[in-house]
Amino acid sequence: AAAVLEREFGTNTAFVDNTHNDRGWGPRTFKNFKAAADEAAASRLYAGIHYRFAIEGGKPQGQCAAQAVLALKFKP
């Protein structure tokens, strides 16, 4: 998702994520989409969902998927 958002909004687009405000966590500020993606990947390790090797392998896999999506030609 980060690569697709970068293509649409630029690589240095800062943003605020308010997704979990209703849980009392407050807004999260990111300097760019890659920073958010890196944090999301690391959160899987801290939560015990994935091992580090899976996270490191998943990043290039995500880039590959993003490039395939970005190469699609959509009808206007």
Side-chain angles (χ1 to χ4, degrees):
V4 174
L5 290 167
E6 284 179 354
R7 171 74 65 87
E8 187 67 26
F9 298 106
T11 57
N12 293 313
T13 300
F15 69 99
V16 178
D17 175 13
N18 293 296
T19 303
H20 299 292
N21 287 358
D22 62 331
R23 296 181 182 181
W25 296 356
R28 303 274 303 128
T29 302
F30 296 96
K31 65 180 182 177
N32 54 40
F33 298 114
K34 183 181 180 315
D38 289 342
E39 183 178 292
S43 74
R44 285 10 180 219
L45 176 68
Y46 304 138
I49 299 168
H50 295 298
Y51 294 105
R52 184 168 302 282
F53 72 85
I55 295 166
E56 295 305 320
K59 288 180 182 181
Q61 186 177 24
Q63 282 291 328
C64 182
Q67 295 311 311
V69 168
L70 292 170
L72 294 172
K73 304 296 182 211
F74 292 98
K75 294 180 181 179

